[in-house]
Amino acid sequence: MRNNSFSKSPLIKYYVYGDGETVLFVHGGFSNGRASWKRQIGELAAFAKLIVVDRRGHGSSPKLPRPYTILGDALDILKVADLIGIDRIHLVGHSYGALVALEIALRREIQVETLHLIEPPALSILRNDPAVIDLSENLRRVQRLGPNMGKDWTARLFLEKLQGKDFVEYVASSPTWNKLLLEASRFWYEQFAADYDLDQNDLVNLHVPTWVYVGCQSNQVLVRVSKELCDLLPCCKLVQVPDGTHMLQAESNVLSLQLISLINP
């Protein structure tokens, strides 16, 4: 049984766009809600009510308390949903935020109409795989040394391990780099993704219609983990985006088209 008690922490920041069926978006690391889901806000606000959150420690949400956990993020978002009075939601999460979305679905299955997970780093389900171990060890080192090395070093090394040096150089030369650095320190104080244990019995009993999205040009460890997770979920469809990277929600309209097809069949 999962503990659903809320903390007395201050409410996280959230934004509301449009009207209709509710779609709730949970962003990943090194970002915030409006930056991560800018494309979807533009594509979907005419079709649905969009709830976009800043996870604690990101964007305009409170920085404390910490350390940050996936459970804590899930309870923060459930508090927002209860405050707004949402009965049913289409729930979307990217990367670390996809783990948070999965935790929400495991706690409130009855409330989740559909679940959409973009490359969730559910590393614990393949924890003994050598490639998973190698990626985890490299990213743990970045997290451990980050407070001493600084935000720029943290962001560069994290993204390099995740997507490669060329991707880092491309992003670092773009106008978004300074905004990304504003979000980097949260990684130092959050629960490491590989430490989030997923009970396979819980997964095989989660009967929410689920779509898992992967970018074929993304980190192949994350692609494999995402596929394994989808295999475990009984109502899951895998969506592969040929030219997509780990940031496929910013690169492709495939997520928006899928949501529109569900909201306006």
Side-chain angles (χ1 to χ4, degrees):
M1 177 67 68
R2 292 175 123 79
N3 175 15
N4 285 291
S5 61
F6 297 120
S7 71
K8 296 181 180 179
S9 304
L11 192 70
I12 60 171
K13 181 71 174 180
Y14 66 93
Y15 306 88
V16 182
Y17 305 89
D19 196 19
E21 291 189 36
T22 301
V23 185
L24 195 155
F25 292 91
V26 189
H27 67 87
F30 295 81
S31 189
N32 59 63
R34 290 188 293 182
S36 185
W37 305 110
K38 180 179 179 180
R39 178 169 187 152
Q40 284 68 42
I41 292 169
E43 293 174 341
L44 293 171
F47 299 93
K49 180 178 183 178
L50 313 180
I51 309 297
V52 177
V53 300
D54 285 345
R55 290 190 292 114
R56 190 172 301 276
H58 281 298
S60 297
S61 280
K63 305 302 180 187
L64 297 175
R66 63 188 196 201
Y68 311 111
T69 66
I70 289 165
L71 169 59
D73 284 345
L75 295 181
D76 276 340
I77 293 166
L78 286 171
K79 188 188 294 187
V80 168
D82 288 350
L83 177 69
I84 298 173
I86 301 171
D87 293 323
R88 297 282 285 173
I89 57 174
H90 300 277
L91 182 58
V92 184
H94 169 239
S95 193
Y96 196 93
L99 295 182
V100 176
L102 182 58
E103 180 70 20
I104 292 170
L106 290 168
R107 292 172 176 279
R108 293 276 188 93
E109 179 175 350
I110 194 172
Q111 197 169 348
V112 180
E113 188 82 23
T114 64
L115 180 63
H116 304 262
L117 307 175
I118 302 173
E119 295 199 356
L123 302 176
S124 67
I125 63 177
L126 287 176
R127 66 169 77 250
N128 295 320
D129 182 280
V132 172
I133 293 170
D134 182 65
L135 179 64
S136 297
E137 289 178 348
N138 279 303
L139 294 180
R140 282 187 194 277
R141 177 176 177 272
V142 176
Q143 188 180 57
R144 184 176 67 254
L145 298 180
N148 293 325
M149 301 300 292
K151 294 180 180 180
D152 189 87
W153 181 91
T154 298
R156 286 178 183 274
L157 265 291
F158 181 91
L159 293 175
E160 179 183 323
K161 299 303 180 185
L162 205 64
Q163 198 66 60
K165 290 183 179 180
D166 290 345
F167 180 80
V168 174
E169 293 309 313
Y170 169 75
V171 176
S173 64
S174 74
T176 63
W177 184 250
N178 287 334
K179 294 179 181 179
L180 185 150
L181 292 184
L182 292 175
E183 309 292 345
S185 62
R186 206 268 195 186
F187 178 62
W188 304 338
Y189 307 109
E190 70 186 17
Q191 179 183 10
F192 192 69
D195 295 336
Y196 174 62
D197 285 321
L198 282 164
D199 188 321
Q200 294 195 9
N201 289 326
D202 288 343
L203 296 176
V204 299
N205 287 302
L206 181 64
H207 293 281
V208 173
T210 302
W211 285 258
V212 171
Y213 305 78
V214 297
C216 296
Q217 305 305 313
S218 188
N219 183 293
Q220 291 305 297
V221 171
L222 294 184
V223 172
R224 286 178 50 218
V225 167
S226 297
K227 290 179 178 179
E228 182 74 14
L229 176 63
C230 193
D231 286 343
L232 290 170
L233 295 168
C235 304
C236 186
K237 296 179 181 179
L238 183 71
V239 179
Q240 301 183 77
V241 182
D243 296 325
T245 71
H246 189 59
M247 297 298 296
L248 66 88
Q249 81 274 19
E251 303 160 345
S252 168
N253 65 355
V254 64
L255 171 63
S256 294
L257 292 176
Q258 181 61 62
L259 286 165
I260 289 171
S261 73
L262 294 167
I263 295 166
N264 292 301

